[in-house]
């Protein structure tokens, strides 16, 4: 890093001593003993260079300032208004963590989501589709990726220490399996045209809904049952002894299954998974959220 000074050496020393400081340490050094480094000459404009350690320190200071500025920015969730959908999984993380956020679609309408995702409204990393989150210049999309990232930010993931690295990986595994289960459950309502309304393919979907309810849903619910049964901790969470984003994802999957596959949900013998669903729903912040106007309604079909 370089600085220009037009003062003579004997004038520059006290001036720089007063002005240039870095992390509480004088950046001027002992100029009289370092003319070969700084190139002072009487009455001439000279180029001053911080030593490498000073430059590194200044870089850290700038990075810390950028992080501090970003920390002041509000979290934003970019998702469609009027339905829970995949955005609900992200909302639950913010709500359980007690972290304020702006629901951009609810606040600005569907067009605000379209503008951000596909019409040039996103200055950050490209988004493929909602849900996405933004804070300052940081942008991220993909439900399981967002949940994992926010889990680490909000202490809803196992610490990534050596002995708990496996637990963190297993949380990510659960998030991936939930994503698969939701995708399958939604597709059953849209077998003819994945992007068209269910109302345009009601008859075509009946056999697929039945197949998912009778064959696929029990497999997912028994899988959750197996994970809960194998956790040696008595607190009743999926992984480890405290709540993680995996528990929030499982809760929302089970709630969606109960909402859209009710008769099949009721028929599955999965007492641990259903008790887990009730336990998460009874957590104080989740109760408050579900009773608030921040909570969006269920879609009428398609596990959203």
């Amino acid at each position: 890093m370089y600085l220009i000074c037009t003062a003579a050496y004997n004038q520059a020393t006290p001036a720089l001593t007063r002005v240039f400081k870095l992390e509480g340490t004088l950046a001027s050094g002992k100029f009289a003993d370092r003319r070969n480094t700084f190139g002072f000459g009487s009455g001439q404009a000279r180029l001053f260079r911080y030593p490498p350690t000073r430059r590194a320190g200044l870089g850290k200071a700038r990075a810390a300032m950028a992080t501090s500025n970003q920390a002041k920015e509000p979290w934003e969730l970019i998702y469609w208004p009027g339905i829970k959908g995949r955005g609900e999984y992200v909302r639950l993380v913010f709500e359980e963590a007690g972290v304020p956020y702006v629901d951009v679609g609810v606040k600005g309408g569907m067009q605000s989501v379209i503008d951000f995702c596909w019409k040039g409204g996103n200055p950050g990393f490209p988004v493929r589709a909602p849900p996405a989150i933004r804070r300052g210049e940081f942008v991220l999309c993909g439900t399981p990726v967002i949940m994992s990232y926010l889990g680490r930010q909000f202490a809803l993931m196992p610490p990534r220490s050596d002995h708990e690295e496996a637990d963190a990986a297993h949380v990510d595994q659960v998030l991936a399996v939930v994503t698969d289960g939701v995708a399958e459950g939604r597709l059953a309502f849209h077998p003819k045209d994945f992007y068209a309304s269910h109302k345009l393919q009601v008859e075509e979907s009946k056999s697929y809904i039945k197949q998912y309810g009778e064959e696929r849903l029990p497999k997912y619910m028994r899988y959750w049952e197996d994970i809960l049964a194998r956790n040696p901790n008595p607190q009743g969470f999926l992984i480890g002894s405290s709540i993680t984003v995996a528990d929030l994802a499982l809760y929302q999957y089970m709630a969606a299954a109960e909402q859209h596959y009710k008769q099949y949900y009721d028929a599955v013998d999965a007492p641990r998974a259903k008790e887990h669903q009730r336990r998460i729903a009874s957590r104080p912040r989740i109760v408050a959220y579900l009773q608030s106007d921040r909570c969006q309604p269920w879609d009428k079909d398609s596990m959203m």
Side-chain angles (χ1 to χ4, degrees):
M1 182 177 186
Y2 297 90
L3 299 167
I4 298 294
C5 181
T6 58
Y9 168 69
N10 58 354
Q11 296 172 330
T13 302
L16 290 174
T17 299
R18 289 194 303 272
V19 175
F20 296 117
K21 294 185 178 181
L22 181 62
E23 295 181 343
T25 303
L26 293 179
S28 58
K30 296 182 179 179
F31 289 96
D33 298 331
R34 303 173 68 177
R35 295 192 188 192
N36 60 331
T37 301
F38 293 96
F40 281 95
S42 178
Q44 299 177 0
R46 294 298 181 192
L47 206 58
F48 300 105
R49 183 175 66 185
Y50 283 127
T53 53
R54 306 290 192 196
R55 296 198 301 273
L58 188 56
K60 291 179 181 179
R62 284 176 172 168
M65 182 178 293
T67 301
S68 176
N69 289 338
Q70 179 169 297
K72 297 176 183 177
E73 297 284 341
W75 285 102
E76 294 178 308
L77 167 64
I78 298 91
Y79 193 70
W80 308 116
I83 62 168
K84 292 183 183 296
R86 293 181 178 88
E88 188 71 1
Y89 292 83
V90 182
R91 292 186 188 103
L92 288 170
V93 179
F94 283 121
E95 296 290 345
E96 172 60 28
V99 175
Y101 63 102
V102 177
D103 204 327
V104 172
V106 173
K107 182 179 179 180
M110 187 171 292
Q111 190 61 46
S112 67
V113 179
I114 295 172
D115 289 345
F116 180 84
C117 293
W118 301 294
K119 299 294 185 181
N122 171 24
F125 196 83
V127 165
R128 171 62 188 88
I133 57 170
R134 174 174 62 182
R135 192 184 202 193
E137 297 179 355
F138 175 73
V139 177
L140 188 67
C141 76
T143 306
V145 179
I146 292 172
M147 293 188 76
S148 181
Y149 174 81
L150 292 181
R152 294 193 296 274
Q153 300 298 307
F154 303 155
L156 290 172
M157 281 282 281
R160 289 191 179 273
S161 58
D162 290 342
H163 67 283
E164 291 181 308
E165 183 70 20
D167 282 352
H170 290 149
V171 169
D172 285 331
Q173 176 180 317
V174 168
L175 297 179
V177 175
V178 167
T179 301
D180 289 344
V182 172
E184 285 189 49
R186 182 190 183 280
L187 184 59
F189 286 87
H190 305 264
K192 182 180 177 181
D193 186 341
F194 185 78
Y195 299 101
S197 169
H198 172 66
K199 297 177 180 63
L200 302 177
Q201 45 196 319
V202 172
E203 288 303 316
E204 294 89 342
S205 70
K206 287 181 178 178
S207 63
Y208 291 93
I209 292 172
K210 184 174 184 291
Q211 182 183 43
Y212 184 85
E214 290 182 348
E215 299 179 19
R216 301 298 294 163
L217 180 62
K219 290 182 179 180
Y220 282 107
M221 292 178 66
R222 289 169 188 147
Y223 177 65
W224 314 134
E225 194 78 3
D226 191 26
I227 295 176
L228 288 163
R230 294 193 187 198
N231 187 353
N233 292 284
Q235 286 81 2
F237 298 111
L238 280 170
I239 298 159
S241 59
S242 60
I243 189 170
T244 69
V245 290
D247 295 290
L248 299 173
L250 172 55
Y251 159 74
Q252 184 59 19
Y253 174 86
M254 292 288 289
E258 184 178 22
Q259 176 72 21
H260 296 297
Y261 289 91
K262 175 66 173 172
Q263 69 181 91
Y264 306 107
Y265 170 97
D266 289 343
V268 179
D269 182 23
R272 292 183 180 87
K274 292 178 181 179
E275 174 57 30
H276 177 276
Q277 178 188 348
R278 289 188 289 270
R279 187 183 307 111
I280 300 301
S282 68
R283 293 179 68 84
R285 286 175 176 168
I286 300 301
V287 170
Y289 166 64
L290 295 176
Q291 295 174 351
S292 75
D293 58 4
R294 299 188 303 280
C295 185
Q296 298 297 294
W298 288 103
D299 195 4
K300 294 181 180 178
D301 51 57
S302 74
M303 214 167 180
M304 293 287 113

